[in-house]
């Protein structure tokens, strides 16, 4: 029997290169976390990752990342809607600004946001008049994470929204559906998987963010101290085993988030396509 040729030319070489890159960039660094963590006994590992100060840092990171990602999900969808559905002066500039957090060094973003939100800053002095403090609180951390995570939602929803056929909206309007009903019954189911993907990617990025947060957080133990800062503190003490143990917990949390995202997207896609 004659062997069929591969559809992809040079599949073996291409696959080998892909696996080599994944091994060097992803698999080996992740395995190193496990390797260094194994220097601790199971009891010492549990003690290290469950200390009250470390648990408090997990709580701060997760709560602020979740809050920021929820805000990004709403605001990112609105921004994507405006960029796709409306034409206005400066649209291309606004579209380019969305990706600024990707290009701007996170430390620069953190310093800029801190100066803006301190009580003497342009934004901080407005809120200080009503007794709201932003910098050096969890609110400030959330603001920094919103800045970091917003592009993920916009860039996930925008291309899907561009492909939504307006004929379906027009047909629904002809049958007397209101604008709200059209959005939630016709448009939202189409963009829902992309919105979930953007939310999850923003959450995964925010939960491990360090550069833009460390300046605005204030780093008060048990209040505004984030988990990545605990990892950096252990590294500065040359306690690599403890640092990698905390990092391994953060990696596990991120993996769970991405796994849940994959399940939700798969289920949502089946519903939208009519399989379920």
């Amino acid at each position: 029997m004659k062997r069929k040729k591969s559809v992809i030319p040079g599949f073996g070489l291409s696959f080998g290169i892909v696996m080599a890159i994944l091994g060097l960039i992803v698999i080996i660094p992740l395995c190193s976390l496990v390797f260094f963590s194994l220097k601790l006994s199971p009891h010492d590992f549990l003690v290290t990752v469950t200390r009250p100060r470390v648990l408090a840092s997990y709580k701060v990171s997760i709560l602020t990342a979740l809050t920021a990602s929820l805000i990004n999900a709403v605001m990112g969808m609105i921004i994507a809607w405006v960029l796709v559905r409306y034409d206005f002066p400066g649209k291309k500039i606004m579209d380019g600004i969305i990706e600024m957090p990707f290009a701007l060094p996170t430390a620069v973003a953190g310093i800029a946001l801190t100066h803006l939100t301190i009580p003497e800053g342009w934004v901080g002095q407005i809120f200080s008049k009503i007794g709201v403090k932003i910098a050096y609180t969890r609110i400030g951390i959330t603001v920094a994470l919103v800045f970091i995570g917003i592009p993920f939602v916009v860039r996930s929803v925008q291309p899907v929204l561009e492909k939504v056929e307006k004929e379906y909206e027009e047909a629904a309007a002809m049958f007397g559906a209101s604008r709200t009903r059209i959005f939630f019954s016709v448009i939202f189911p189409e963009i829902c998987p992309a919105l979930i993907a953007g939310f999850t990617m923003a959450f995964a990025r925010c939960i491990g963010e360090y550069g833009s947060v460390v300046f605005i957080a204030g780093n008060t133990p048990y209040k505004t101290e984030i988990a990545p800062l605990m990892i950096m503190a252990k590294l500065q003490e040359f306690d690599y085993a403890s640092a990698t143990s905390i990092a391994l917990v953060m990696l596990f949390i991120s993996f769970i988030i991405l796994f849940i995202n994959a399940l939700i997207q798969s289920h949502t896609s089946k519903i939208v396509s009519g399989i379920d």
Side-chain angles (χ1 to χ4, degrees):
M1 185 176 178
K2 188 176 180 180
R3 186 178 179 181
K4 293 183 179 180
K5 293 183 178 180
S6 175
V7 177
I8 305 175
F11 173 75
L13 178 61
S14 302
F15 185 76
I17 294 174
V18 170
M19 293 305 297
I21 294 174
L22 286 177
L24 291 172
I25 298 178
V26 180
I27 298 176
I28 293 178
L30 295 183
C31 289
S32 67
L33 290 179
V34 180
F35 174 77
F36 281 108
S37 299
L38 290 176
K39 293 183 177 181
L40 297 176
S41 65
H43 177 266
D44 291 337
F45 177 83
L46 290 175
V47 170
T48 299
V49 301
T50 58
R51 289 172 181 166
R53 186 172 176 181
V54 176
L55 291 176
S57 69
Y58 294 152
K59 181 180 178 181
V60 172
S61 293
I62 293 173
L63 288 180
T64 53
L66 180 60
T67 303
S69 299
L70 289 173
I71 295 172
N72 282 332
V74 177
M75 298 305 298
M77 183 174 60
I78 295 174
I79 293 173
W81 178 272
V82 171
L83 291 174
V84 172
R85 293 302 179 96
Y86 301 105
D87 291 320
F88 53 89
K91 177 180 177 179
K92 292 184 178 180
I93 297 176
M94 180 178 176
D95 193 26
I97 290 176
I98 295 299
E99 296 182 353
M100 185 65 71
F102 289 152
L104 190 67
T106 54
V108 175
I111 295 173
L113 290 172
T114 302
H115 282 291
L116 282 174
T117 56
I118 58 176
E120 297 79 17
W122 292 349
V123 177
Q125 63 182 349
I126 297 175
F127 284 91
S128 63
K129 293 179 181 178
I130 57 176
V132 177
K133 186 179 180 181
I134 299 178
Y136 313 130
T137 66
R138 293 187 183 182
I139 298 176
I141 298 175
T142 304
V143 170
L145 296 181
V146 168
F147 175 82
I148 290 298
I150 192 70
F152 290 96
V153 180
V154 176
R155 292 304 184 230
S156 295
V157 175
Q158 188 176 358
V160 178
L161 192 58
E162 289 174 347
K163 295 180 180 179
V164 175
E165 299 291 343
K166 293 185 179 181
E167 286 78 5
Y168 296 119
E169 301 174 44
E170 295 172 357
M174 289 178 62
F175 282 103
S178 64
R179 292 184 178 180
T180 303
R181 181 67 181 275
I182 292 173
F183 177 79
F184 285 103
S185 299
V186 178
I187 301 173
F188 187 74
E190 295 289 334
I191 65 174
C192 186
L195 182 62
I196 294 173
F199 167 82
T200 308
M201 288 188 293
F203 189 23
R205 168 65 191 274
C206 290
I207 202 172
E209 178 60 26
Y210 174 77
S212 62
V213 176
V214 66
F215 297 103
I216 199 171
N219 308 319
T220 304
Y222 301 98
K223 293 183 179 180
T224 61
E225 194 172 48
I226 57 175
L229 181 64
M230 293 297 301
I231 297 173
M232 290 298 300
K234 295 298 181 182
L235 289 175
Q236 291 174 352
E237 297 171 1
F238 301 100
D239 188 358
Y240 298 115
S242 297
T244 52
S245 297
I246 299 173
L248 190 61
V249 174
M250 297 297 292
L251 175 64
F252 178 75
I253 294 173
S254 298
F255 176 79
I256 293 298
I257 294 169
L258 295 176
F259 180 73
I260 294 174
N261 168 60
L263 292 178
I264 294 175
Q265 281 200 77
S266 177
H267 180 66
T268 306
S269 299
K270 289 180 180 179
I271 294 176
V272 172
S273 60
I275 297 177
D276 284 355

